[in-house]
Amino acid sequence: MQLLFTRTILSSLTLSSLGFCSTLSRVRQSSLNLPNSLCAFNLDSSDDHVINGQCATGFAIVSSKFSLDVCLANINGQLRFLPYGILSASCNECALDGDTLDLTCSCKNDNGNSVDSTINLNTAGPEDNGVFLRDDGRIACRIY
C-alpha cells in the first residue's frame, strides 16, 4: 500500500527535475527521517532479517536490500544496534512497521526464553544509530 501511495505521489508531481531533486536533497539534509523521504520499506518475504527498500531519487525509484545482521544484535532478549550483531542467530518472526520503522522480533534471552523486543530503525539525526538513506537512494545502517 505504501509503495503504491509513493508511486502515486511521484507520478502526480509536476515539479521540474531540478525542483524535485532540490526538495529531496533538503529532506535528506534536514533529517535522515526515512518515512518522510519518499521511501517504502518491508521485510523480505523469504528472510525476515532483510529489509527491502524502494526510494525516490530524482525521477527514478531505487530498490535495495539490506541485511539487519550488519547492525543489530540480541542482547539478553533486547534488540540493540551493534556492528555485525548477527540478529538472525537468536531472533526470528520479525515484523516491520513500514510507516514508523519499528522492528519487532521474537528473541531468546539469557534463560533461553523467547521474548518480543522492538527497536526503532529510524535515525533522528546525523549522529544517531539506525538505518538511513544514502545519497544514491539506497538504505544503509550507521552505528556510533
Side-chain angles (χ1 to χ4, degrees):
M1 177 72 180
Q2 187 175 1
L3 177 58
L4 178 60
F5 177 71
T6 301
R7 285 189 178 159
T8 302
I9 288 173
L10 292 176
S11 64
S12 66
L13 285 174
T14 58
L15 294 172
S16 69
S17 171
L18 180 60
F20 181 71
C21 290
S22 66
T23 300
L24 188 58
S25 177
R26 281 194 303 275
V27 169
R28 281 198 198 116
Q29 290 170 5
S30 64
S31 170
L32 294 175
N33 190 326
L34 289 175
N36 295 330
S37 300
L38 298 177
C39 293
F41 299 96
N42 62 358
L43 291 178
D44 192 288
S45 60
S46 62
D47 184 350
D48 65 1
H49 301 104
V50 174
I51 292 179
N52 292 318
Q54 294 187 326
C55 298
T57 59
F59 284 104
I61 302 257
V62 176
S63 298
S64 62
K65 287 186 175 202
F66 182 78
S67 173
L68 293 171
D69 282 340
V70 173
C71 62
L72 286 178
N74 171 18
I75 307 296
N76 192 23
Q78 297 297 309
L79 295 172
R80 297 286 183 245
F81 286 103
L82 188 69
Y84 302 100
I86 310 176
L87 169 74
S88 61
S90 57
C91 295
N92 56 32
E93 298 177 16
C94 295
L96 178 69
D97 182 321
D99 294 324
T100 64
L101 290 184
D102 284 340
L103 177 75
T104 301
C105 296
S106 177
C107 300
K108 300 273 186 196
N109 64 17
D110 290 346
N111 297 328
N113 299 321
S114 291
V115 295
D116 286 342
S117 179
T118 300
I119 191 168
N120 185 273
L121 300 178
N122 193 19
T123 57
E127 294 193 19
D128 290 336
N129 293 334
V131 176
F132 71 98
L133 181 62
R134 297 183 341 189
D135 286 339
D136 64 2
R138 297 191 184 279
I139 52 176
C141 187
R142 175 178 42 234
I143 301 173
Y144 286 98

